[in-house]
């Protein structure tokens, strides 16, 4: 049964009220759309049902009013027009209310998004997200090899590129731990520049640092002071470079020790300053090694082999390694050359290579 023109506005207002209540309930149900956004999805508040219903209601009301106007008198037509004109402002107000609700919900959404706590590592994730996670292997708490740390340490990676043999350094746990604590830019770069200034070439840095990894624990200013001391003793830059290459631990010794070693050889062998300098340039490990073999061999040459002091001077300045030769091998070689081959002392002094060669005895 068709509604009269007077009943239509009352029916329409009641239905409009019910749609507003339903829209409010839907808004309450979706007060936290931000959670779906965390997984890559977007949610828009849907309150367009009421506006759609308003359009449908307006069309229905308009159709009914037209049908009734064809069968009613001119007075009822005027009432219908008045009712129609009074209804239009209410529709504009309803559209404005809908826009206000949408903007209000958007503000609530942004506020709730700001108030959300950060993602927790304990938050469950889907299997697809878990597959996409690429995690670096954890550092071992303890290891017997530096190989386990190379992928995680820029310092170790650059040392390997320089030619440093980490397999030899890792045999010394203290040195290995030191390298793991060092920063390449802060701790190693300046040391490399210093070594290059001393005279170590780029292709020699790897071998040098493999042997003397302890140099990283030395203060750079102390190293510069030791080089300056050698220059003050008239060692040329080429001499210092040659000594450091042959005896990598030379710069690890203090100025006092270097000075004492130079004084020992000059006094013990009664050599001039120039000959002492030439001696240690040719065999710089005399400054870094133990003095016991040197003292022992000096006694052997004098007491057991029967050489005079000036003869010893001549031999060791020709072949400095005779100062550090093995005592047992030295006496066996001399016995074969002097007693079996019958070579006298003065010939051995003139050609000290006799005592420095290996013979099948």
């Amino acid at each position: 049964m068709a509604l009269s023109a007077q009943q239509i506005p009352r029916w329409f207002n009641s239905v409009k009220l019910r749609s507003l209540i339903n829209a409010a309930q839907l808004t309450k149900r979706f007060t936290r759309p931000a959670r779906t956004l965390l997984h890559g999805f977007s949610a828009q508040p849907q309150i367009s049902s009421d506006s759609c219903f308003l359009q449908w209601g307006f069309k229905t009301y308009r159709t009914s009013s037209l049908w009734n106007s064809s069968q009613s008198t001119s007075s009822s037509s005027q009432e219908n027009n008045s009712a129609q004109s009074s209804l239009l402002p209410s529709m504009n107000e309803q559209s404005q209310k809908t826009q206000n609700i949408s903007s209000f919900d958007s503000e609530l959404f942004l506020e709730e998004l700001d108030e959300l706590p950060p993602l927790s590592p304990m938050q469950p994730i889907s299997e697809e997200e878990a597959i996409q996670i690429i995690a670096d292997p954890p550092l071992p708490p303890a290891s017997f090899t530096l190989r386990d740390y190379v992928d995680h340490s820029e310092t170790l990676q650059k040392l390997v590129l320089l030619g440093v043999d980490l397999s030899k350094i890792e045999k010394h746990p203290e040195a290995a731990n030191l390298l793991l604590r060092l920063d390449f830019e802060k701790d190693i770069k300046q040391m490399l520049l210093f070594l290059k200034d001393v005279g170590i070439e780029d292709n020699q840095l790897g071998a040098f640092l493999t042997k003397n990894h302890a140099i990283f624990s030395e203060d750079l200013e102390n190293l510069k002071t030791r080089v300056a001391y050698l220059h003050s003793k008239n060692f040329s830059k080429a001499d210092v470079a040659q000594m450091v290459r042959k005896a990598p631990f030379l710069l690890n010794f203090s100025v006092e020790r270097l000075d004492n070693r130079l004084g020992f050889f000059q006094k013990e062998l009664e050599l001039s300053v120039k000959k002492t300098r030439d001696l240690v340039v040719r065999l710089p490990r005399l400054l870094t090694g133990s003095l016991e073999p040197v003292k022992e061999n000096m006694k052997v040459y004098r007491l057991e082999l029967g050489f005079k002091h000036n003869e010893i001077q001549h031999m060791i300045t020709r072949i400095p390694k005779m100062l550090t030769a093995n005592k047992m091998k030295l006496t066996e070689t001399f016995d074969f050359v002097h007693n079996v081959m019958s070579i006298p002392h003065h010939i051995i002094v003139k050609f000290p290579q006799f005592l420095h060669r290996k013979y099948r005895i």
Side-chain angles (χ1 to χ4, degrees):
M1 182 176 180
L3 296 173
S4 64
Q6 290 83 2
Q7 292 175 338
I8 286 176
R10 187 181 302 171
W11 171 82
F12 179 74
N13 289 333
S14 64
V15 173
K16 182 174 64 174
L17 181 60
R18 285 198 301 271
S19 72
L20 288 174
I21 295 173
N22 292 335
Q25 291 176 351
L26 287 174
T27 304
K28 290 181 178 180
R29 291 179 61 184
F30 297 95
T31 54
R32 294 182 65 86
R35 291 191 177 181
T36 58
L37 285 174
L38 296 177
H39 297 283
F41 301 100
S42 60
Q44 297 285 343
Q46 300 177 356
I47 320 177
S48 61
S49 60
D50 185 44
S51 60
C52 292
F53 176 78
L54 290 177
Q55 296 175 3
W56 175 82
F58 178 72
K59 290 179 181 180
T60 304
Y61 166 71
R62 188 175 182 181
T63 304
S64 300
S65 61
L66 289 174
W67 181 76
N68 288 326
S69 62
S70 64
Q71 297 179 0
S72 62
T73 61
S74 60
S75 62
S76 62
S77 177
Q78 293 177 356
E79 291 179 359
N80 190 13
N81 291 333
S82 63
Q84 212 171 16
S85 62
S86 64
L87 179 61
L88 289 175
S90 64
M91 289 178 59
N92 294 332
E93 293 176 359
Q94 179 62 27
S95 177
Q96 187 175 3
K97 289 181 179 179
T98 304
Q99 294 178 357
N100 293 336
I101 292 174
S102 300
S103 62
F104 179 71
D105 288 342
S106 299
E107 292 177 0
L108 285 178
F109 170 75
L110 294 175
E111 290 179 359
E112 291 178 354
L113 199 63
D114 294 337
E115 293 175 358
L116 282 177
L119 286 175
S120 171
M122 303 304 294
Q123 181 177 357
I125 59 176
S126 64
E127 293 184 1
E128 295 181 356
E129 292 174 334
I131 294 175
Q132 296 177 358
I133 296 176
I134 301 176
D136 295 331
L139 283 172
S143 178
F144 293 99
T145 175
L146 289 174
R147 181 179 56 189
D148 297 334
Y149 300 94
V150 172
D151 293 338
H152 308 276
S153 173
E154 180 186 4
T155 298
L156 295 182
Q157 293 173 9
K158 291 186 176 181
L159 288 177
V160 170
L161 293 177
L162 286 173
V164 178
D165 190 349
L166 297 181
S167 63
K168 294 182 179 180
I169 297 179
E170 66 189 15
K171 295 178 182 179
H172 309 276
E174 294 182 0
N177 291 329
L178 175 63
L179 290 184
L180 291 175
R181 294 193 301 267
L182 294 178
D183 180 84
F184 187 85
E185 294 295 329
K186 296 180 180 179
D187 306 317
I188 296 182
K189 187 175 181 179
Q190 296 299 322
M191 185 68 69
L192 297 178
L193 294 176
F194 165 75
L195 292 175
K196 289 187 65 176
D197 185 64
V198 169
I200 305 298
E201 301 295 335
D202 292 345
N203 58 354
Q204 299 171 338
L205 286 173
F208 178 88
L209 295 175
T210 299
K211 293 180 180 179
N212 187 15
H213 43 76
I215 198 171
F216 292 122
S217 61
E218 295 288 336
D219 183 74
L220 187 58
E221 294 301 322
N222 291 338
L223 296 176
K224 293 179 179 180
T225 301
R226 294 160 193 171
V227 172
Y229 166 78
L230 293 175
H231 289 321
S232 69
K233 295 298 180 180
N234 293 327
F235 288 95
S236 66
K237 185 171 181 144
D239 293 338
V240 174
Q242 179 179 342
M243 293 166 65
V244 172
R245 285 194 295 266
K246 289 184 177 181
F249 294 97
L250 177 65
L251 297 180
N252 294 42
F253 294 98
S254 64
V255 171
E256 290 76 11
R257 175 163 178 171
L258 294 175
D259 188 69
N260 291 335
R261 286 297 179 92
L262 290 174
F264 169 81
F265 288 109
Q266 184 176 358
K267 181 180 179 180
E268 184 72 17
L269 301 176
E270 297 181 1
L271 298 175
S272 64
V273 174
K274 183 179 183 303
K275 288 186 176 181
T276 303
R277 184 169 54 248
D278 294 340
L279 177 69
V280 297
V281 168
R282 296 176 62 188
L283 190 64
R285 64 179 180 177
L286 291 175
L287 300 177
T288 61
S290 174
L291 290 178
E292 292 303 320
V294 176
K295 295 177 180 179
E296 189 68 24
N297 285 344
M298 291 296 293
K299 293 179 181 179
V300 170
Y301 286 125
R302 285 197 306 265
L303 302 178
E304 297 184 21
L305 305 184
F307 289 100
K308 299 178 181 179
H309 187 75
N310 61 336
E311 293 175 335
I312 297 175
Q313 285 181 336
H314 180 78
M315 288 190 297
I316 61 175
T317 52
R318 292 284 303 275
I319 304 179
K321 288 185 178 180
M322 293 182 64
L323 284 173
T324 58
N326 181 272
K327 175 183 175 182
M328 183 176 295
K329 291 182 179 180
L330 182 61
T331 54
E332 289 178 356
T333 301
F334 176 80
D335 182 68
F336 178 78
V337 171
H338 182 67
N339 297 325
V340 177
M341 298 177 64
S342 299
I343 298 178
H345 281 77
H346 69 278
I347 300 296
I348 296 176
V349 171
K350 190 174 181 179
F351 302 98
Q353 296 88 343
F354 280 116
L355 298 180
H356 193 60
R357 296 184 61 182
K358 295 181 180 180
Y359 301 95
R360 293 182 180 180
I361 302 175

